[in-house]
Amino acid sequence: MSTPIPIGSDTLGWPLPAALHTITVSLPTWSDNVGYLSGQTAIVDSMSTGYPRFFIHRSVQKLAEVCQERFGFTGERCLLCPTQKTAEHGKIFIHNQAQLTGKPSDVRVVYYVIRPVGDSDPSSSFKDTSSLPTVSQSTPPQSAEVFALFFHADTYKVARQFWQNCGLGISSRYAEHCLSVLGIAGFPMVQISEFLRACGKSASRTFETDLIPKSLDASELPLATGTDAKAALRQRIASCLVRDESPAGAQTNVSEDDVFLFPCGMSALWNAHQLLLASRPPEKSVVFGFPYTDTLKIVEKSGPGAIFYGHGRDCDIDDMDALLARKVAENPSVPPILALYTECPSNPRLCVVNIPRLRALADKYDFLIVIDETIGTFANVDLLPHADIIITSLSKYVGGYATALGGSLVINPRMRHHALLKEHLMSTFEDTYFAPDAIVMERNSRDFFERMRITNANAEYICNFLHMHSIEGGASESEGAVIKQVLYPKYITPENYQVCRRRLPTGELDPENGGYGGLFSLTFTSLKASRAFYDALEVAKGPSLGTTFTLTCPYTLLGHYWELTWAAEYGVEEGLVRVSIGTEDREVLLRAVDTALRAAKSA
């Protein structure tokens, strides 16, 4: 039996799906989103959970309260990290950002060894971090440990940027493990019914909908250990990336040893940036095209900074080429930039930049290219000819069921810096992916290709309908058209997307895969029409994407609420509505979309 998906205007704050460790939450109306972002008390208090980097899970909050009570000073707050290394990174990040914003910048790290109830060794509970060994999350079940970052309460908003941007905090499952070791009632076997009641939700409520997404096969048991799950995930990702007919052991093929797992996608990207900063001459990096909000922030705040080409046009490549040539002329002894970051396609505009031209510049000027293919997915795009490092948020399409986070970093064996990067990462890599999270992710990812084939077909079917009703597609505003553009790889920079589409060894398109993906965005002729469409669309609504169930959000509000004017300069309009299509019956989806479109036209 599938987990219920809360749909409807009265589902504010419900987890999506209604599960304990879900990674998204219902924000069913436009005004709910505005209320949440602006901090309206009634809206915020209704939230049972949220996307984990933006909303700290209640189990993590509870453990932070325990640490606060035991080790905090008056006027302090704390965030929790899984290892000393991540905590030290957090300490530096928070200190530097606090200084830039004029907030108190003192940060201290408390190492908390959590023992079972009745343990009589008080010295094991609190230690100075100055001479501690690096630890991993291979924690025995009878104990646990966290590294608490303590800082002035006035610095909390700055500290939360570390939690949000870098994705290095502890997971909700790990917090529950810690709470269970402490003997706190209800952990780790918290029931979803108890969780919902604690959040003010009716545990007996049912949801009536014709939208039935694909569910996990209950007969497929999860792997027994985190080690097995991580090995299976790495093998699965590597096999997704092998396209050619080379022998299995060929050096140009990705192997599981080239795949590194992290607790979430942003953690993978942050670690990629740290890898490049540590292994190459530290220079500024280019962010090319308008990316997911935290990608730009990571590059701006870590290391020398970012050069931003937000439009990602061919003329911007010309400008960048000229800039790099000038920098080389000034100092030919070092590469002019460290790396270039881009997405394929981009989130939320679904653009693909001219990646072959960027690859040519990378070879000419000796910088590296990091591509986030989360939106395109392993099933649809092939970036091995172009990228030095490929980043994926496994939490999205690969995981699919929205019950676990995960991220991957692949070092491309085809590129000349492969050996250097791999050697450095293997010598510094710290496994912070908590075993129970990896076990859930591995099970969820088993039907990834099957889900993507359904999602690809559903999204193209819906987008064909919407494009026909858009002004760009030929509909007339004078005759009631309210959609300006359907932002979808089939219509947006299609020639660049074709270059990256997954193909057979013969060069022909893969008939089973290589689709356009499951994500698209809509722009409207007025903010009023955007709101009406969003409010009337009877699907799940909340942050995230790539779920088995269709999920929509007013992306620009959620990602850029405090910088709407800046985002609009790059074509990311305030009224943009992003839709992640799921695995439901496409005719049922079409009826829902058509109803919402009629509401937008009547607004």
Side-chain angles (χ1 to χ4, degrees):
M1 188 170 119
S2 61
T3 305
I5 309 297
I7 294 174
S9 60
D10 59 345
T11 60
L12 172 64
W14 274 79
L16 293 171
L20 186 59
H21 294 286
T22 185
I23 62 172
T24 187
V25 66
S26 180
L27 289 165
T29 70
W30 194 278
S31 60
D32 289 336
N33 284 272
V34 173
Y36 171 66
L37 293 163
S38 61
Q40 293 180 18
T41 303
I43 302 293
V44 173
D45 289 349
S46 295
M47 306 296 283
S48 63
T49 189
Y51 195 78
R53 286 188 299 104
F54 292 83
F55 182 102
I56 296 180
H57 192 277
R58 290 177 182 269
S59 296
V60 179
Q61 291 182 37
K62 179 64 177 176
L63 184 59
E65 290 171 4
V66 171
C67 292
Q68 195 91 34
E69 291 172 1
R70 298 194 179 195
F71 311 119
F73 300 141
T74 302
E76 281 190 329
R77 296 191 68 173
C78 71
L79 292 174
L80 307 180
C81 294
T83 68
Q84 181 187 8
K85 185 176 177 181
T86 54
E88 291 298 332
H89 282 306
K91 181 178 180 179
I92 294 169
F93 183 103
I94 296 167
H95 174 79
N96 290 343
Q97 294 302 311
Q99 285 194 323
L100 288 173
T101 56
K103 299 294 184 182
S105 60
D106 289 341
V107 184
R108 62 189 181 94
V109 181
V110 170
Y111 176 40
Y112 181 21
V113 181
I114 301 170
R115 302 292 187 188
V117 175
D119 191 307
S120 59
D121 179 12
S123 65
S124 66
S125 296
F126 173 55
K127 296 184 180 179
D128 181 9
T129 63
S130 58
S131 59
L132 291 172
T134 299
V135 296
S136 74
Q137 289 227 294
S138 56
T139 310
Q142 69 272 19
S143 66
E145 56 198 359
V146 292
F147 291 77
L149 289 164
F150 282 92
F151 42 81
H152 195 282
D154 289 346
T155 310
Y156 183 68
K157 286 187 177 180
V158 173
R160 280 293 299 272
Q161 293 174 19
F162 169 71
W163 185 277
Q164 175 185 324
N165 297 164
C166 305
L168 300 180
I170 67 168
S171 75
S172 58
R173 286 186 177 87
Y174 189 66
E176 289 196 351
H177 168 64
C178 294
L179 292 168
S180 70
V181 174
L182 284 168
I184 293 178
F187 294 96
M189 301 302 293
V190 177
Q191 300 297 318
I192 183 61
S193 57
E194 297 170 2
F195 173 76
L196 291 172
R197 277 195 293 270
C199 299
K201 312 297 181 189
S202 171
S204 61
R205 180 173 173 182
T206 58
F207 299 93
E208 299 297 327
T209 178
D210 293 328
L211 290 170
I212 313 283
K214 187 182 186 304
S215 59
L216 273 169
D217 184 349
S219 66
E220 290 195 24
L221 297 176
L223 294 176
T225 71
T227 300
D228 290 341
K230 292 173 188 179
L233 270 172
R234 293 169 66 207
Q235 291 167 3
R236 187 166 299 143
I237 292 167
S239 67
C240 289
L241 291 166
V242 174
R243 301 278 197 272
D244 57 33
E245 296 175 319
S246 304
Q251 291 184 350
T252 57
N253 274 335
V254 175
S255 75
E256 64 182 279
D257 291 336
D258 298 312
V259 181
F260 297 83
L261 300 179
F262 295 90
C264 66
M266 293 316 299
S267 174
L269 192 139
W270 188 86
N271 276 279
H273 194 51
Q274 299 306 306
L275 167 63
L276 299 185
L277 287 169
S279 60
R280 300 273 291 166
E283 297 289 335
K284 284 189 175 183
S285 293
V286 167
V287 177
F288 201 82
F290 194 92
Y292 172 66
T293 178
D294 288 319
T295 297
L296 179 58
K297 290 177 170 56
I298 282 178
V299 180
E300 286 178 332
K301 295 174 183 178
S302 299
I307 304 168
F308 183 44
Y309 292 94
H311 294 288
R313 302 163 299 198
D314 275 22
C315 63
D316 295 318
I317 299 180
D318 296 334
D319 291 344
M320 185 174 72
D321 190 2
L323 171 67
L324 299 183
R326 290 194 300 271
K327 289 174 72 69
V328 168
E330 293 168 1
N331 184 1
S333 64
V334 296
I337 58 173
L338 174 67
L340 181 144
Y341 292 82
T342 193
E343 298 173 347
C344 183
S346 64
N347 179 15
R349 284 188 51 79
L350 284 300
C351 298
V352 177
V353 299
N354 192 331
I355 294 178
R357 280 197 67 191
L358 295 175
R359 181 70 256 170
L361 287 188
D363 294 336
K364 177 181 177 181
Y365 293 109
D366 192 26
F367 62 84
L368 292 97
I369 294 182
V370 181
I371 303 181
D372 186 333
E373 60 84 78
T374 298
I375 308 302
T377 78
F378 303 125
N380 294 322
V381 296
D382 179 7
L383 298 172
L384 289 178
H386 314 291
D388 293 275
I389 294 176
I390 298 171
I391 300 295
T392 306
S393 173
L394 304 175
S395 320
K396 311 304 191 298
Y397 289 102
V398 175
Y401 294 93
T403 54
L405 294 177
S408 66
L409 181 162
V410 177
I411 302 177
N412 187 353
R414 297 185 187 180
M415 297 302 172
R416 61 174 168 157
H417 295 297
H418 169 261
L420 169 70
L421 296 176
K422 186 174 177 180
E423 180 182 2
H424 189 89
L425 185 54
M426 289 184 71
S427 68
T428 59
F429 178 72
E430 184 178 47
D431 182 6
T432 58
Y433 198 13
F434 187 45
D437 290 315
I439 289 169
V440 174
M441 178 59 70
E442 188 282 324
R443 183 175 182 241
N444 287 0
S445 68
R446 291 177 192 173
D447 61 355
F448 163 58
F449 273 94
E450 178 189 352
R451 284 187 279 106
M452 282 311 303
R453 284 191 283 271
I454 299 170
T455 298
N456 285 339
N458 281 356
E460 187 169 9
Y461 183 70
I462 297 300
C463 284
N464 286 343
F465 169 80
L466 290 169
H467 184 66
M468 180 176 63
H469 288 275
S470 71
I471 294 170
E472 185 183 64
S476 171
E477 186 173 2
S478 63
E479 295 179 3
V482 292
I483 297 175
K484 290 195 299 185
Q485 242 186 331
V486 179
L487 305 176
Y488 180 60
K490 185 175 182 177
Y491 314 122
I492 304 297
T493 59
E495 64 286 350
N496 290 340
Y497 186 77
Q498 291 299 328
V499 171
C500 301
R501 285 182 75 176
R502 180 177 171 131
R503 296 176 184 273
L504 299 174
T506 60
E508 298 174 311
L509 287 174
D510 187 332
E512 292 189 350
N513 302 293
Y516 293 105
L519 193 72
F520 64 89
S521 296
L522 302 173
T523 59
F524 292 85
T525 55
S526 69
L527 190 58
K528 189 176 181 181
S530 297
R531 295 177 62 120
F533 180 89
Y534 181 83
D535 287 349
L537 185 59
E538 285 292 308
V539 300
K541 298 173 189 175
S544 198
L545 58 94
T547 51
T548 59
F549 50 92
T550 296
L551 182 65
T552 188
C553 71
Y555 177 86
T556 312
L557 287 186
L558 287 177
H560 302 284
Y561 186 71
W562 302 107
E563 51 188 17
L564 292 173
T565 301
W566 172 81
E569 293 175 5
Y570 298 98
V572 182
E573 302 177 6
E574 179 180 353
L576 182 145
V577 176
R578 191 186 71 182
V579 183
S580 173
I581 290 292
T583 57
E584 304 95 338
D585 181 276
R586 68 181 189 176
E587 296 301 333
V588 178
L589 279 172
L590 182 62
R591 287 197 295 272
V593 168
D594 185 45
T595 298
L597 182 57
R598 292 174 187 274
K601 290 179 177 180
S602 300

